[in-house]
């Protein structure tokens, strides 16, 4: 087994996740089987209870693992299916060690960070690295490990020590360390400054790890004299210094690595040059070029609770990008805070109210993503009502499906107090009720989580056609509340169609309005399985409906893989939305409310 470790220095948010994903992709394009591990040094056992404002979205895996959003990048880039164990946290490691201590596994010894915690980290990595994630038998060839945070963070010290020991154990020819650092350009002098990278590498070496390759983040390509300076002071060969400069879209990052022969440097360190081929990235290159070429926009109103941080809806944004590129449209996101649509805002902040409704009415499609809590729920219901009444393409995910059902009950059935028991325990018309697969009192890991099967109950419906007329589909879930099965017949008699249900027929998975151009709600999260070459069927349907292509798409059938044409353009990406700098250091350019952001 070969290991590639990706660390970060100077500042957080440099895009280690995208870099690690791109490294995995280029190695896979060289004919190698690749898996990934993300190490998060926080004490939480998983990301399940963390606020999206705190840490971005919670990404859900097939096995129900609630993990860091970077595992979403790995799955999308590499088209693999990871497990919850592919995300290591300090909480998981300490919990496993304490459990062993309580069982007496350490035979009365004093349990310490070294060797017990560091050994547990290494054993975890070795155990998970051999798990096949590409659907084939046998272990992968290479495991790409990303260490979260920044070198020097106190919480990551046990992992640094463990990885230093690990690199010695597995041997130099089986371990490659890539350090992602920052080379800033000071506007006053316009010079690329190498000192932050020098200090970062010095700190890394002092902790027992020596970088084989430096990936330098900068706004522009590194000048040759700057690379020579970094090589001299950091003791890294000149050919092993890679520039990750700003690019027009995220799919160009692997191409940057390829063009600078990063794969050759990695393969040389890992003694794989004789078994790997030249990277085959033809389709990837075409997709990146097409993304730059697109000019005709499609405007999607994203009505949610966490609109101040795009990472909170990262997988939704990626799925929209995949679908938009497949439909040959440039995605423009209009972020709308759901609470700004509510009547209270019209008196408290009329400017925000007018702006929110203007964006909603100007959109080609409306999407209400998942979420928790009652803030903004009434605004989401108003967005669903507008989409239904004005025949605007609509997609509701998880809570987005639930509010669509509530809105229908209120507007069509006349049940004005219809609600979810999550928001109103005393409602006389509970359209949505508590239907968990776990405890009601504990927050962590108690929801209906992971891959579950949905059976189509209506063959002649848009969702079934978009999924290729299959009898069932497997999608990932993350929720506790669901549509009340006792109200389904009443809702269906009024014109709502529950086209997808679970095997028992009691859990409503897909709802549609048959007489609407495109009005679909799903209890699951289709965004988690969308891939660049194979967009999620429901997102593809939304964008196709918004651009007048749905009828053609349904007639022709949804292809398993989109064949993309070549094209180039020089679009520039920035990291701002509504004048506010966004989090996360990736490289993707999506235009939002007149600005472009990184997601």
């Amino acid at each position: 087994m070969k290991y590639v470790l990706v660390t970060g220095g100077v500042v957080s948010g440099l895009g280690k996740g995208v870099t690690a994903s791109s490294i995995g992709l280029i190695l896979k394009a060289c004919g190698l089987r690749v898996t990934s591990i993300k190490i998060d040094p926080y004490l939480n056992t998983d990301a399940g209870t963390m606020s999206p404002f705190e840490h971005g979205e919670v990404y859900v895996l097939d096995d129900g693992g609630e993990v860091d959003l970077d595992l979403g990048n790995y799955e999308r880039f590499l088209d693999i299916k990871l497990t919850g164990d592919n995300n290591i946290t300090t909480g998981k490691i300490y919990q496993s060690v304490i459990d062993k201590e309580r069982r007496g596994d350490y035979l009365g010894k004093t349990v310490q960070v070294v060797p017990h915690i560091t050994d547990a980290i290494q054993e975890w990595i070795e155990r998970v690295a051999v798990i096949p994630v590409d659907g084939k038998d046998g272990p992968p060839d290479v495991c790409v490990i990303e260490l979260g945070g920044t070198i020097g963070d106190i919480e990551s010290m046990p992992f640094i020590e463990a990885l230093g020991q690990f690199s010695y154990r597995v041997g130099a020819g089986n371990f490659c360390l890539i350090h992602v650092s920052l080379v800033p350009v000071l506007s006053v002098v316009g010079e690329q400054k190498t000192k932050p990278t020098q200090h970062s590498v010095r700190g890394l070496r002092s902790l027992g790890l020596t970088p084989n390759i430096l990936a330098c983040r900068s706004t522009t390509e590194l000048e040759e004299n700057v690379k020579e300076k970094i090589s001299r002071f950091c003791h890294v060969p000149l050919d092993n210094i890679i520039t990750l400069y700003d690019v027009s879209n995220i799919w160009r990052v692997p191409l940057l690595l390829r063009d600078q022969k990063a794969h050759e440097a990695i393969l040389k360190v890992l003694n794989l040059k004789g078994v790997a081929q030249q990277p085959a990235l033809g389709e990837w290159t075409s997709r990146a070029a097409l993304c730059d070429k697109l000019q005709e926009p499609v405007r999607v109103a994203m009505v949610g609770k966490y609109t101040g941080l795009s990472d909170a809806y990262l997988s939704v944004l990626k799925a929209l990008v995949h679908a938009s590129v497949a439909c040959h449209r440039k995605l423009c996101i209009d972020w709308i805070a759901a609470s700004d649509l509510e009547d209270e805002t019209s008196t408290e902040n009329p400017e925000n109210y007018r702006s929110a409704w203007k964006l909603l009415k100007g959109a080609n499609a409306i999407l209400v993503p998942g979420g928790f809590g009652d803030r903004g729920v009434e605004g989401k219901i108003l967005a669903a009502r507008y989409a239904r009444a004005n025949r605007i393409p609509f997609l509701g995910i998880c809570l987005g499906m639930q509010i669509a059902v509530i809105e229908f009950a209120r507007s069509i059935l006349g049940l004005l107090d219809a609600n979810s028991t999550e928001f109103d325990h005393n409602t006389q018309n509970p359209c949505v009720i508590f239907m968990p697969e776990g405890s009601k009192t504990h927050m962590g890991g108690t929801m209906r989580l992971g891959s579950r099967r949905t059976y189509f109950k209506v063959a002649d419906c848009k969702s079934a056609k978009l999924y290729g007329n299959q009898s069932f589909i497997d999608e990932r879930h993350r929720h506790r509340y669901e549509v009340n099965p006792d109200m389904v017949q009443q809702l269906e008699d009024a014109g709502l169609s529950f086209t997808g249900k679970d095997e028992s027929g009691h859990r409503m998975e897909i709802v549609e309005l048959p007489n609407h151009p495109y009005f679909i709600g799903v209890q699951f999260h289709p965004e988690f399985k969308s891939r660049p070459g194979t967009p999620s069927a429901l997102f593809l349907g939304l964008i196709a409906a918004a651009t007048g292509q749905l009828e053609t798409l349904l007639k022709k059938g949804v292809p398993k893989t989109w064949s993309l044409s070549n094209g180039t353009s020089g679009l520039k990406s920035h990291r701002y939305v509504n004048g506010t700098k966004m989090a996360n250091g990736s490289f993707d350019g999506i235009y939002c409310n007149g600005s472009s952001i990184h997601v």
Side-chain angles (χ1 to χ4, degrees):
M1 174 63 69
K2 308 287 185 177
Y3 300 90
V4 176
L5 173 63
V6 179
T7 61
V10 185
V11 294
S12 60
L14 288 178
K16 291 192 306 298
V18 174
T19 304
S21 303
S22 300
I23 289 165
L25 174 67
I26 197 169
L27 292 176
K28 182 179 179 181
C30 289
L32 301 171
R33 295 177 62 199
V34 182
T35 186
S36 293
I37 293 175
K38 171 68 187 295
I39 298 175
D40 283 303
Y42 49 68
L43 280 169
N44 306 61
T45 54
D46 59 41
T49 60
M50 298 174 73
S51 165
F53 280 128
E54 180 81 17
H55 199 67
E57 76 170 3
V58 176
Y59 188 80
V60 180
L61 302 169
D62 265 10
D63 66 358
E66 297 174 283
V67 296
D68 183 80
L69 55 80
D70 279 321
L71 274 78
N73 283 325
Y74 306 157
E75 285 205 337
R76 283 186 288 269
F77 270 57
L78 299 173
D79 195 18
I80 56 179
K81 290 183 180 180
L82 299 173
T83 71
D85 284 348
N86 288 84
N87 193 190
I88 302 175
T89 70
T90 299
K92 285 181 179 179
I93 294 295
Y94 274 76
Q95 190 173 62
S96 69
V97 170
I98 290 170
D99 288 344
K100 284 184 178 180
E101 185 272 332
R102 292 289 85 188
R103 290 196 305 265
D105 292 2
Y106 296 117
L107 303 177
K109 291 183 178 179
T110 302
V111 180
Q112 298 174 290
V113 173
V114 181
H116 301 104
I117 295 295
T118 52
D119 283 354
I121 293 168
Q122 295 175 67
E123 289 165 6
W124 193 300
I125 290 172
E126 287 186 307
R127 172 174 61 84
V128 174
V130 297
I131 298 173
V133 294
D134 56 3
K136 301 176 182 177
D137 294 330
D141 301 310
V142 182
C143 178
V144 179
I145 306 166
E146 179 194 348
L147 176 61
T150 306
I151 293 300
D153 293 346
I154 190 168
E155 60 264 30
S156 64
M157 288 303 180
F159 292 101
I160 294 288
E161 175 62 28
L163 289 163
Q165 295 178 18
F166 189 66
S167 66
Y168 177 75
R169 272 184 50 217
V170 301
N174 298 313
F175 190 89
C176 177
L177 172 53
I178 301 174
H179 188 58
V180 182
S181 185
L182 177 68
V183 179
V185 179
L186 300 184
S187 57
V188 178
V189 293
E191 181 185 359
Q192 293 175 333
K193 308 300 288 185
T194 66
K195 194 63 70 178
T197 295
Q198 293 179 43
H199 284 302
S200 182
V201 172
R202 187 176 298 125
L204 187 63
R205 296 170 77 94
S206 71
L207 295 171
L209 286 170
T210 301
N212 302 105
I213 297 169
L214 289 179
C216 299
R217 283 287 285 119
S218 185
T219 53
T220 56
E221 190 172 359
L222 287 189
E223 298 167 7
E224 200 61 32
N225 65 310
V226 173
K227 291 177 68 173
E228 290 172 358
K229 188 175 181 181
I230 292 173
S231 173
R232 187 182 310 116
F233 283 97
C234 296
H235 309 159
V236 174
L238 189 62
D239 291 342
N240 288 15
I241 296 172
I242 310 299
T243 313
L244 296 177
Y245 53 87
D246 290 354
V247 289
S248 52
N249 70 72
I250 197 172
W251 295 330
R252 290 202 172 276
V253 180
L255 307 182
L256 274 184
L257 294 172
R258 179 200 62 189
D259 294 345
Q260 297 175 72
K261 301 189 184 306
H263 57 290
E264 293 187 3
I266 297 169
L267 295 173
K268 183 178 180 182
V269 172
L270 297 177
N271 294 327
L272 287 173
K273 292 198 76 172
V275 299
Q277 61 193 32
Q278 286 299 308
L281 290 169
E283 183 184 334
W284 196 271
T285 304
S286 298
R287 188 182 301 114
L290 175 61
C291 188
D292 283 347
K293 182 181 179 182
L294 302 175
Q295 298 294 328
E296 190 172 347
V298 54
R299 305 200 72 88
V300 178
M302 182 87 79
V303 183
K305 178 180 177 181
Y306 310 109
T307 54
L309 179 68
S310 64
D311 276 1
Y313 301 113
L314 185 62
S315 291
V316 174
L317 289 174
K318 298 297 186 185
L320 286 170
V321 171
H322 302 161
S324 298
V325 172
C327 291
H328 290 215
R329 293 293 187 276
K330 184 171 77 174
L331 177 65
C332 298
I333 296 287
D334 288 327
W335 293 101
I336 301 175
S339 55
D340 285 349
L341 296 170
E342 297 172 357
D343 293 339
E344 287 183 11
T345 308
S346 65
T347 54
E348 295 173 1
N349 195 328
E351 185 177 343
N352 280 11
Y353 181 79
R354 287 193 298 269
S355 176
W357 275 101
K358 183 179 179 181
L359 288 173
L360 188 73
K361 292 178 179 179
N364 303 118
I366 297 171
L367 191 151
V368 179
F372 296 90
D374 59 0
R375 181 164 61 85
V377 164
E378 293 301 321
K380 294 175 183 178
I381 291 173
L382 289 169
R385 179 177 299 167
Y386 180 82
R388 179 187 56 78
N390 293 276
R391 301 176 65 77
I392 307 298
F394 173 88
L395 177 61
I397 297 171
C398 198
L399 177 59
M401 167 182 166
Q402 296 168 14
I403 62 97
V405 172
I406 294 169
E407 189 282 321
F408 188 87
R410 289 181 183 180
S411 299
I412 305 302
L413 294 179
L415 306 176
L416 300 182
D417 74 331
N419 214 328
S420 167
T421 55
E422 181 181 4
F423 313 126
D424 181 1
H425 295 292
N426 301 315
T427 177
Q428 296 300 304
N429 292 285
C431 292
V432 179
I433 60 172
F434 188 68
M435 292 178 64
E437 286 187 327
S439 167
K440 188 174 182 178
T441 55
H442 289 77
M443 295 297 289
T446 61
M447 292 181 281
R448 182 168 164 82
L449 276 168
S451 183
R452 298 290 187 275
R453 184 153 290 181
T454 295
Y455 292 87
F456 287 105
K457 300 300 182 182
V458 180
D460 187 21
C461 65
K462 294 183 179 68
S463 57
K465 291 176 181 177
L466 286 167
Y467 275 106
N469 295 311
Q470 301 176 68
S471 59
F472 63 84
I473 53 170
D474 295 314
E475 292 280 11
R476 300 175 185 179
H477 295 64
R478 184 176 186 252
H479 62 89
R480 294 184 182 89
Y481 290 81
E482 297 188 36
V483 174
N484 185 352
D486 293 338
M487 292 191 67
V488 167
Q489 191 59 55
Q490 188 179 1
L491 291 162
E492 288 199 315
D493 289 343
L496 206 57
S497 179
F498 291 95
T499 57
K501 301 179 183 180
D502 78 333
E503 66 279 359
S504 71
H506 290 107
R507 296 181 186 269
M508 303 301 113
E509 297 283 3
I510 307 174
V511 62
E512 295 186 41
L513 273 177
N515 59 352
H516 191 284
Y518 192 89
F519 193 100
I520 295 178
V522 291
Q523 187 59 70
F524 48 80
H525 289 265
E527 67 270 23
F528 292 140
K529 294 181 73 171
S530 183
R531 303 289 180 260
T534 53
S536 164
L538 298 175
F539 281 86
L540 187 60
L542 179 71
I543 299 300
T547 56
Q549 303 179 58
L550 182 61
E551 189 176 342
T552 303
L553 179 64
L554 294 178
K555 284 181 179 178
K556 293 169 68 175
V558 181
K560 290 186 177 180
T561 303
W562 283 80
S563 178
L564 303 172
S565 58
N566 288 309
T568 56
S569 177
L571 297 180
K572 186 88 171 174
S573 65
H574 307 284
R575 298 185 61 202
Y576 296 87
V577 55
N578 292 342
T580 304
K581 194 170 185 179
M582 305 301 288
N584 201 16
S586 356
F587 308 81
D588 205 2
I590 299 175
Y591 286 78
C592 304
N593 295 6
S595 303
S596 152
I597 64 168
H598 282 268
V599 290

